Structures are given as C-alpha cells and as structure tokens.
Amino acid sequence: QVQLVESGGGLVRAGGSLRLSCAASGVSFRPNTMAWYRQAPGKQRELVASSTDFGTTNYKDSVKGRFTISRDNAKNTVWLQMNSLKPEDTAVYYCYASSSRGFWGKGTLVTVSS
C-alpha cells in the first residue's frame, strides 16, 4: 500500500516563503515522477511542478522563478520550496507520485494573505 504524506502548509503573508514536503512510503515503490498539484476554491486541480527520477523538472508558468521542486530518490521524498508567495497561490497543495500507477496525498493547505 502506497501512502503519500504531505507537510509544511500554513498561513503566510504575501512575499513570504513556505516549504512543502512529501514522503512516499510503500514496499518496492520507486516513483518515476513526483509532482505537486494545487486546487484553489472553485477551480480545477492544476499541475504546479513535476520532477522525474532522471532530474527533469517542469513548472507552471506562473510559478517559474519563485518555486523550486527537488527530490531525494533514495528517500522517496519530494519538496516544493515556494518563495515570493502571492495571494493567488492560495490553494490546497497535493503531492503526486507515479510508477506503474499514480497516487495522491491528502493535501496541505497554503494560505497567502495580502
């Protein structure tokens, strides 16, 4: 059974920083892709950043230069460093990891006040 556990969300003022963490557990689980998605109230879930086990990263245009995704393959852990946060970054952030199939975390709330 694969489980993804996120942490690091919270309330921060605009311009501040937060770091999200996600640890994936499961026997013999070696994800190819680990990613962060977010879902704001009334909106669809969207990809924020992704990372492959080869080190390829991809970012949503609006977070480029502000957010950085990183991972430790040995620990099946992925982080999202979020700097220069804006009110429009407010959302529930979900961790996603996939190998032969995908798995989701339960999400962590990030609130950015103006």
Side-chain angles (χ1 to χ4, degrees), residues 10-11 23 30 38 45 48 52 54 58 84 87 89 100 110:
L11 173 64
R30 293 293 179 264
R38 69 186 182 189
R45 191 171 298 188
V48 177
T52 71
F54 288 103
N58 182 50
S84 301
D89 295 318
S100 58
V110 172

Side-chain angles (χ1 to χ4, degrees), residues 44-91:
Q44 290 188 331
R45 191 171 298 188
E46 61 182 7
L47 176 66
V48 177
S50 64
S51 173
T52 71
D53 53 357
F54 288 103
T56 302
T57 58
N58 182 50
Y59 294 92
K60 178 179 173 62
D61 284 346
S62 63
V63 308
K64 287 180 180 177
R66 300 189 297 122
F67 291 11
T68 302
I69 189 169
S70 59
R71 63 187 284 179
D72 183 330
N73 292 331
K75 297 181 179 180
N76 280 353
T77 300
V78 64
W79 297 272
L80 185 68
Q81 178 66 44
M82 305 185 294
N83 298 328
S84 301
L85 282 160
K86 303 176 180 180
E88 51 264 42
D89 295 318
T90 295

